[in-house]
Amino acid sequence: MVLKLIYKFVLGFTEATFGPCLLAITVQWYKRSEQPFVTAIWQSMSALATSVASLYGWGFYQVPEASSLKGWQWVILALAVGSFISSSK
């Protein structure tokens, strides 16, 4: 039980610090006058991406159990196909 709580804490800590650290690193490439705008766009797109991902997740989990794959497997498959298509020229 205690080990599970430790794992949850470490995972939560690393997830909570990842976004702000990545934002701080990315914003350093812009002029000081451009940084507020870039930060606002970054935060807005992060929220939009979370919303869209939640809708996709909900949609894929509505797939009937009669299919050969479970809902979470459809999510992974769709992400893999989307990544493959977007990476090809």
Side-chain angles (χ1 to χ4, degrees):
M1 180 72 177
V2 174
L3 192 58
K4 188 175 181 179
L5 291 173
I6 292 171
Y7 286 150
K8 284 184 177 185
F9 172 79
V10 171
L11 181 63
F13 180 78
T14 55
E15 285 182 1
T17 57
F18 181 74
C21 289
L22 195 56
L23 174 63
I25 291 169
T26 304
V27 171
Q28 291 176 2
W29 293 325
Y30 293 92
K31 297 177 191 172
R32 184 177 289 264
S33 61
E34 298 172 334
Q35 288 179 358
F37 179 73
V38 172
T39 302
I41 295 297
W42 179 285
Q43 295 292 345
S44 299
M45 292 301 113
S46 176
L48 181 65
T50 301
S51 300
V52 170
S54 297
L55 289 174
Y56 276 127
W58 177 83
F60 280 112
Y61 280 103
Q62 303 306 314
V63 173
E65 290 291 327
S67 67
S68 60
L69 298 175
K70 293 182 174 36
W72 66 269
Q73 292 170 324
W74 282 109
V75 171
I76 299 298
L77 184 63
L79 289 173
V81 169
S83 296
F84 180 75
I85 290 171
S86 67
S87 68
S88 62
K89 290 186 177 184

